[in-house]
Amino acid sequence: MRLIVPLQGVVQGRGGLLMGSLIPCTLFYFLQLYLKRHRSPKPPSAPLSPYPSPSPNLSELPRSASRSNLSSRGSISPARISNRVSSIARPNSSLYYVGLDRSLEDPYDRLDNPEGIIQLGLSENTLCLDLIDEWMSENLNSSLSEGDGDEFGLARLATYQPFDGLMELKVAMAGFMSQIVGDRVSFDPSQMVITSGATPAVEMLCFCLADQGNAFLVPTPYYPGFDRDMIWRTGVELIPVHCRSTDNFTPSITALDQAFNQAKKRGIRVRGILICNPSNPVGNILLRETLYSLLDFAREKNIHIISDEIYAGSIHGNEEFVSMAEILGEEDTDKERVHIVYGLSKDLSVSGFRVGCIYSFNENILAASKRLARFCSVSSLTQRLLVSLLSDSRFITRYLETNRRRIREVYDMFVGGLRQLGVKWAEGSAGFYCWVDMSGLIRSYSEKGELELFDKLLNVAKINMTPGSACHCIEPGWFRCCFATLTPEDIPIVMERIRRIADG
Amino acid sequence: MAIGIDLVPSVQLSRVAESEKHGENSPYFAGWKAYDEDPYHEVENPSGVIQMGLAENQVSFDLLEDYLEKHPEASIWGKGALGFREKALFQDYHGLLSFRKAMTSFMEQIRGGRAKFDSERIVLTAGATAANELLTFILANPGDALLVPTPYYPGFDRDLRWRTGVRIVPIICNSSNNFQITPQVLEAAYENAESLNLRVRGVLITNPSNPLGATIQRQVLEEILDFVARKNIHLVSDEIYSGSAFSSSEFVSVAEVLESRPDRHHRYRDRVHIVYSLSKDLGLPGFRVGTIYSYNDKVVATARRMSSFTLISSQTQHLLACMLSDTEFTSRYIETNRARLKKRYGIIVEGLEKAGIECLGGNAGLFCWMNLSPLLENLDREGELELWKTLVYELKLNISPGSSCHCSEPGWFRVCFANMSEHTLEVALARIQKYVEQRMNAVII
């Protein structure tokens, strides 16, 4: 049973009066309503996962006590705790986490729990794990202590390593990243800092590029985790920059400019833009021209660009992915402002191994990140494993091809099902998810309507999909549906359940 | 015509990025540099710099190798190996239950069963470095202060302060009572912080102490607990060297003190947090395994969520879960490790005695705290640095000067003994003996 990281994030930083107060208040009201209605004990029949209880905040404290204990800052113990803690210790309020928590309480299993909640809220890919499993069993037949004769024995691995990663792994990662972009870019291992996942990489860049109270512009809809990862300890603010379905949710320079100026008026200093390309949750790939415009904008405002390219190797469509690295010329002075985040959690499905990286052209950022990497280094054991895996170029080529094909197959089936339902989706060519327009199914075209539909989907249809509001989408009715953990048999069941509530 | 000089300001970085708090520009780095440029090797470079500044434990390595050889299931995943898929995707910040249980069992064994740990209170981090930083983020706001007894591990300046914005106010201990922490020095530190308008959030102790190489006595732990309760602040006990105490009975964990005083338990509980890691006791710093153990529910819940920035690879958790739940192996390991460290300590103290050098009475850790003040030209910080340079560049020994540990008295040095072979240790001691002899002869002449 896979478990995710049900971290909660207080949805913040919407900026502007309407976004900043009215809508969150409305949402919060309905959220309270929602939580009140669904505060039921765990179903006794649900098969227990081998891992501990799913809702971290709920398991530590008895439900009845949780509200009173957590509502006032640091009131549990006399010794006070930092201000950061109060926001984190509150129950999961983002619907992204609400959905994940709820689905863990009652997870679908074809045999053991066919009425359970089908998980479409977790962006994971299990389609090619068999290939990796096979590789492991064929290649990992020597014990650690033997050393393999390649200097990778325990003696070498046990000792202190460079905190920013083994050079062998950097070389292997750089090679992998280059392969993913069809060798149109040659990534340089010396410009890389390896971190324990992409999560700390993004946070680290925030620490390095911005001071407390500064802000990043983030085109919406965006990955809900950013609200937590980028804000929690750094004290920076995220300013959503709304994109529209009419542009297929591509960031517009006009909107960025407006957001920048509005921030300035509020006295907030914007330090950079964060883009996710390929996009999560939409799944589209930014055009080369868009990347150039973003770079121009960043230059004009003298700010940074963080490009999270974690889905670069998960393209299922026919479009070609262009990395920020590709559009930077050799002599380009703007290189200093571009920082790429990457990781193996998506493209190689090894999220449990915790391997990510910062790739930067800025020497100072690299120097600072190398030192900060001590707080989030990857186990040498795992690094060694991945060096072997990534260096097997024949396997990697086969893996990437098979992965692309399998994702495409499931995607086609999934959107085929949507088509039959008469439900539309955004054009997307990457990622493990489909950005679906369920506005036809909501009663009132508003966030309230979307929340009601989310509730119905989760608790009646028993499907967890992430509502657009959790991703700060300005148009109601969009939902992110992750399909890469579904089998062909699951898809008709999903569609049937959607149909049931559509009719009902 | 204007020349094409780039007049546009280059894009700026944050204060954190530009800060010097990483500490790598300190003069002590010259010692590391000297080692990197001319590392000692028994055969190939016998006159090179011997690394005695790195607290790493290599004395019990063979035991680990032996275990892994006998238990290949821990480190490989054959076909059909249990739960590869789950492991590959497992990024639950609770951590593998089997691993948490194995850690608590290991921690209990180290304390001779005198304290019990609950696996639900274990939070996993990628190393104790991350654990200490994480706790600091949780317990203090930017601008607040932590009290740390001197001398302390130089890395704290970076780990506790850099990204957190928290300050360290030293609890100044001195040699008159073997650098023990007393209520007086605790109070003095607190008042010092107040006079600087800093709000104190907690005390952070290392027990056994780095760099002293000595355990903190029970009585002192009780006094510290009383102090933090009185001031309504937290206590972080970094017990990373707990398994490196030369004898189990000499190490008293704050967990034991808590358990032995159930009447006062409620006053102390929510304030106490223990940091542990496998980097020292198990000699596996490359694996990046650390943990926070807190008696405070809110801290556990928060630390767990924040550990998402510093998770341990599931593969590593799996291997260590196998190893550490083998209690027969672990008890044998702990015992053997203690004995070997004790022996090493004996060798170095004896060797230093021959050179007329005194050490602080130590009973734990991978290093000894030696007093070279008689050798200083001037009994001050400059004098200490002068001697240090001699040690690094002439004797070719990289050891850590007390000033890098914020020691209030000049002349103390920390010398590590567990990261080399016995032979190398003898070579180092011979160099010291020779040097002292030369100094004595120079004086006589």
Side-chain angles (χ1 to χ4, degrees):
Chain A
M1 175 68 201
R2 293 179 302 285
L3 282 194
I4 42 74
V5 187
L7 295 167
Q8 48 116 245
V10 175
V11 174
Q12 338 174 353
R14 290 183 183 231
L17 178 63
L18 186 69
M19 300 305 283
S21 50
L22 190 61
I23 288 176
C25 284
T26 319
L27 253 191
F28 194 63
Y29 167 68
F30 283 105
L31 185 61
Q32 298 289 53
L33 215 60
Y34 168 83
L35 287 174
K36 274 208 188 83
R37 269 191 280 136
H38 296 287
R39 200 191 293 175
S40 51
K42 289 191 197 136
S45 58
L48 292 176
S49 73
Y51 305 117
S53 60
S55 297
N57 60 316
L58 300 174
S59 66
E60 269 94 66
L61 301 159
R63 272 209 199 244
S64 54
S66 64
R67 287 206 177 281
S68 52
N69 276 348
L70 297 175
S71 56
S72 47
R73 287 174 188 213
S75 62
I76 287 180
S77 64
R80 267 177 261 106
I81 300 180
S82 70
N83 297 336
R84 285 176 202 91
V85 173
S86 17
S87 67
I88 298 159
R90 260 182 250 136
N92 293 333
S93 50
S94 163
L95 296 181
Y96 172 64
Y97 301 107
V98 167
L100 289 176
D101 280 353
R102 182 82 187 85
S103 36
L104 286 173
E105 288 170 16
D106 182 18
Y108 170 80
D109 183 284
R110 206 170 320 126
L111 295 172
D112 296 332
N113 190 22
E115 294 309 309
I117 300 177
I118 299 184
Q119 178 68 281
L120 300 186
L122 201 50
S123 177
E124 272 182 351
N125 174 12
T126 50
L127 301 171
C128 285
L129 278 179
D130 59 317
L131 296 183
I132 302 208
D133 201 350
E134 202 182 285
W135 184 93
M136 300 255 176
S137 61
E138 282 165 20
N139 291 274
L140 287 195
N141 42 22
S142 59
S143 163
L144 249 191
S145 59
E146 279 166 32
D148 288 328
D150 66 346
E151 303 164 0
F152 259 142
L154 183 64
R156 159 109 196 254
L157 295 178
T159 185
Y160 278 104
Q161 312 288 342
F163 288 115
D164 60 320
L166 296 172
M167 185 42 86
E168 291 90 343
L169 181 58
K170 290 187 190 183
V171 169
M173 285 276 279
F176 183 61
M177 288 163 73
S178 303
Q179 195 175 355
I180 280 175
V181 296
D183 290 314
R184 292 184 303 276
V185 176
S186 172
F187 287 94
D188 179 353
S190 68
Q191 288 175 231
M192 200 181 285
V193 171
I194 310 255
T195 57
S196 52
T199 300
V202 172
E203 192 204 32
M204 198 185 288
L205 281 173
C206 290
F207 269 117
C208 291
L209 304 178
D211 297 320
Q212 257 197 337
N214 293 160
F216 285 90
L217 302 178
V218 191
T220 70
Y222 64 77
Y223 162 56
F226 285 150
D227 286 324
R228 167 202 71 207
D229 299 344
M230 295 176 71
I231 284 174
W232 249 357
R233 309 192 297 186
T234 61
V236 305
E237 187 185 318
L238 297 189
I239 297 176
V241 179
H242 295 295
C243 306
R244 314 270 164 186
S245 54
T246 42
D247 300 323
N248 202 37
F249 298 99
T250 303
S252 96
I253 300 300
T254 319
L256 283 167
D257 200 38
Q258 258 175 8
F260 185 91
N261 294 330
Q262 272 173 0
K264 203 165 166 189
K265 282 203 195 97
R266 279 196 295 137
I268 305 285
R269 185 173 169 198
V270 170
R271 300 304 289 266
I273 309 167
L274 170 74
I275 57 170
C276 188
N277 179 31
S279 155
N280 176 9
V282 181
N284 57 354
I285 297 177
L286 295 184
L287 296 173
R288 195 178 288 265
E289 293 80 67
T290 312
L291 296 181
Y292 277 121
S293 314
L294 288 169
L295 195 56
D296 287 338
F297 178 79
R299 183 189 317 119
E300 188 199 307
K301 306 296 185 196
N302 195 22
I303 59 179
H304 296 270
I305 298 181
I306 301 177
S307 180
D308 182 348
E309 302 187 349
I310 202 175
Y311 289 100
S314 300
I315 315 288
H316 54 74
N318 299 322
E319 290 170 50
E320 193 177 75
F321 168 70
V322 180
S323 163
M324 278 297 314
E326 204 180 320
I327 67 157
L328 294 170
E330 273 295 317
E331 299 304 317
D332 204 332
T333 46
D334 286 326
K335 279 158 77 160
E336 303 278 299
R337 29 180 113 259
V338 174
H339 320 282
I340 293 172
V341 169
Y342 187 63
L344 299 180
S345 298
K346 307 297 178 184
D347 293 344
L348 260 193
S349 294
V350 287
S351 46
F353 290 2
R354 313 310 307 145
V355 182
C357 73
I358 290 174
Y359 188 86
S360 178
F361 299 86
N362 186 315
E363 286 304 322
N364 296 320
I365 289 296
L366 286 174
S369 304
K370 280 187 177 132
R371 293 171 180 145
L372 287 171
R374 64 182 50 249
F375 297 112
C376 50
S377 295
V378 180
S379 162
S380 55
L381 194 61
T382 306
Q383 292 193 56
R384 175 228 195 196
L385 174 63
L386 288 165
V387 167
S388 301
L389 181 64
L390 293 173
S391 308
D392 188 340
S393 41
R394 279 232 323 251
F395 170 77
I396 293 293
T397 305
R398 184 164 70 94
Y399 178 90
L400 289 173
E401 274 168 20
T402 312
N403 192 32
R404 167 190 276 254
R405 189 172 29 89
R406 289 182 184 176
I407 298 176
R408 181 79 209 191
E409 277 164 12
V410 185
Y411 174 80
D412 283 344
M413 268 189 269
F414 193 83
V415 302
L418 292 177
R419 194 179 291 115
Q420 282 183 348
L421 286 177
V423 171
K424 296 200 179 57
W425 63 93
E427 280 306 308
S429 37
F432 310 140
Y433 36 78
C434 191
W435 187 236
V436 182
D437 183 0
M438 308 274 274
S439 56
L441 298 179
I442 66 182
R443 241 173 295 200
S444 70
Y445 188 68
S446 62
E447 285 213 55
K448 176 178 169 223
E450 182 184 286
L451 178 57
E452 279 173 5
L453 179 59
F454 168 71
D455 183 15
K456 248 206 291 190
L457 284 164
L458 186 60
N459 295 298
V460 178
K462 304 290 219 58
I463 308 172
N464 178 39
M465 42 174 92
T466 306
S469 53
C471 309
H472 301 262
C473 186
I474 191 136
E475 298 174 14
W478 291 90
F479 284 76
R480 185 189 78 168
C481 302
C482 302
F483 55 75
T485 54
L486 299 176
T487 63
E489 294 79 28
D490 295 331
I491 294 177
I493 299 177
V494 170
M495 298 305 155
E496 178 49 42
R497 291 187 184 191
I498 298 176
R499 181 189 298 285
R500 249 188 277 151
I501 61 159
D503 295 341
Chain B
M1 156 131 185
I3 305 166
I5 297 172
D6 191 7
L7 294 171
V8 175
S10 62
V11 67
Q12 271 185 284
L13 303 189
S14 68
R15 276 178 231 127
V16 165
E18 315 235 300
S19 151
E20 291 285 304
K21 293 222 176 80
H22 50 76
E24 285 173 26
N25 293 337
S26 83
Y28 316 112
F29 262 67
W32 294 85
K33 197 157 170 274
Y35 172 75
D36 282 339
E37 287 168 5
D38 182 20
Y40 170 85
H41 187 276
E42 238 171 273
V43 176
E44 287 164 28
N45 189 17
S47 62
V49 177
I50 299 180
Q51 176 65 283
M52 306 190 90
L54 182 60
E56 200 175 29
N57 181 5
Q58 292 174 5
V59 306
S60 303
F61 197 68
D62 55 312
L63 300 177
L64 297 177
E65 276 184 319
D66 187 61
Y67 177 86
L68 287 172
E69 209 167 327
K70 298 203 171 85
H71 300 265
E73 73 280 4
S75 53
I76 59 168
W77 284 320
K79 222 183 186 77
L82 215 59
F84 162 72
R85 287 180 147 239
E86 283 76 10
K87 301 288 188 299
L89 294 169
F90 185 80
Q91 52 171 341
D92 179 2
Y93 55 35
H94 286 79
L96 281 179
L97 179 59
S98 56
F99 179 50
R100 281 188 286 125
K101 286 201 154 126
M103 278 293 268
T104 50
S105 143
F106 190 61
M107 286 168 73
E108 283 170 0
Q109 269 188 312
I110 282 175
R111 289 154 184 75
R114 297 183 300 273
K116 282 233 133 304
F117 293 103
D118 176 0
S119 57
E120 293 301 308
R121 292 192 171 283
I122 292 264
V123 175
L124 301 172
T125 60
T129 299
N132 281 318
E133 192 204 32
L134 187 44
L135 269 176
T136 307
F137 269 121
I138 293 173
L139 303 178
N141 291 319
D144 290 344
L146 289 179
L147 306 182
V148 185
T150 66
Y152 62 75
Y153 162 55
F156 282 156
D157 286 330
R158 172 198 57 217
D159 301 344
L160 306 179
R161 298 186 320 164
W162 195 2
R163 296 194 291 189
T164 61
V166 169
R167 313 271 298 266
I168 295 179
V169 172
I171 300 168
I172 301 174
C173 303
N174 57 71
S175 60
S176 62
N177 69 342
N178 294 325
F179 298 98
Q180 284 184 85
I181 302 164
T182 64
Q184 291 77 21
V185 299
L186 282 167
E187 197 62 47
Y190 192 89
E191 280 166 25
N192 185 17
E194 280 194 315
S195 72
L196 295 166
N197 275 326
L198 298 173
R199 176 193 251 158
V200 176
R201 292 296 203 170
V203 172
L204 189 144
I205 58 174
T206 307
N207 177 28
S209 158
N210 174 10
L212 300 178
T215 56
I216 298 183
Q217 292 172 21
R218 177 182 290 268
Q219 166 74 7
V220 176
L221 288 174
E222 291 185 352
E223 283 163 3
I224 297 173
L225 276 171
D226 282 333
F227 176 78
V228 301
R230 253 194 346 265
K231 302 296 189 189
N232 192 20
I233 58 180
H234 292 272
L235 174 62
V236 176
S237 180
D238 185 343
E239 301 188 349
I240 197 178
Y241 292 101
S242 46
S244 305
F246 304 153
S247 103
S248 161
S249 53
E250 295 207 43
F251 168 66
V252 179
S253 165
V254 70
E256 285 175 59
V257 179
L258 273 183
E259 283 188 28
S260 68
R261 303 186 59 173
D263 53 316
R264 304 281 205 102
H265 213 166
H266 69 280
R267 277 187 80 213
Y268 301 143
R269 257 189 85 94
D270 280 335
R271 320 175 173 289
V272 178
H273 324 280
I274 297 174
V275 168
Y276 186 57
S277 155
L278 300 179
S279 298
K280 309 295 181 184
D281 293 344
L282 267 192
L284 296 173
F287 283 17
R288 311 313 304 141
V289 179
T291 169
I292 294 171
Y293 186 91
S294 175
Y295 293 90
N296 182 317
D297 292 341
K298 202 167 178 181
V299 172
V300 172
T302 311
R304 195 171 272 149
R305 292 183 181 128
M306 275 190 183
S307 68
S308 54
F309 298 110
T310 183
L311 296 175
I312 302 175
S313 125
S314 54
Q315 178 208 19
T316 304
Q317 292 190 48
H318 169 81
L319 183 147
L320 291 167
C322 289
M323 196 191 284
L324 297 182
S325 46
D326 184 340
T327 45
E328 202 227 288
F329 165 74
T330 51
S331 81
R332 199 168 25 97
Y333 178 92
I334 293 168
E335 214 182 283
T336 313
N337 187 44
R338 287 196 203 283
R340 289 181 184 178
L341 288 174
K342 184 172 183 176
K343 182 175 175 217
R344 279 293 174 100
Y345 181 76
I347 294 174
I348 197 175
V349 164
E350 199 188 302
L352 290 173
E353 258 170 28
K354 275 210 193 101
I357 294 173
E358 267 179 30
C359 290
L360 185 78
N363 61 353
L366 313 176
F367 33 73
C368 101
W369 187 237
M370 64 181 181
N371 184 4
L372 297 183
S373 55
L375 295 174
L376 298 191
E377 291 289 337
N378 302 303
L379 198 61
D380 56 23
R381 197 177 148 144
E382 282 66 41
E384 181 185 285
L385 271 177
E386 279 305 310
L387 179 60
W388 175 70
K389 282 187 197 148
T390 306
L391 292 167
V392 171
Y393 296 118
E394 285 181 32
L395 275 75
K396 309 270 200 100
L397 299 174
N398 182 30
I399 64 179
S400 312
S403 46
S404 68
C405 307
H406 301 273
C407 186
S408 56
E409 299 171 20
W412 291 89
F413 287 77
R414 185 193 80 167
V415 52
C416 300
F417 55 71
N419 60 319
M420 61 191 72
S421 66
E422 264 184 42
H423 171 84
T424 307
L425 184 56
E426 303 283 2
V427 170
L429 287 168
R431 290 184 191 179
I432 294 174
Q433 284 153 4
K434 186 166 157 202
Y435 170 72
V436 171
E437 230 179 83
Q438 283 171 349
R439 282 281 298 262
M440 304 252 287
N441 293 341
V443 169
I444 290 166
I445 291 166

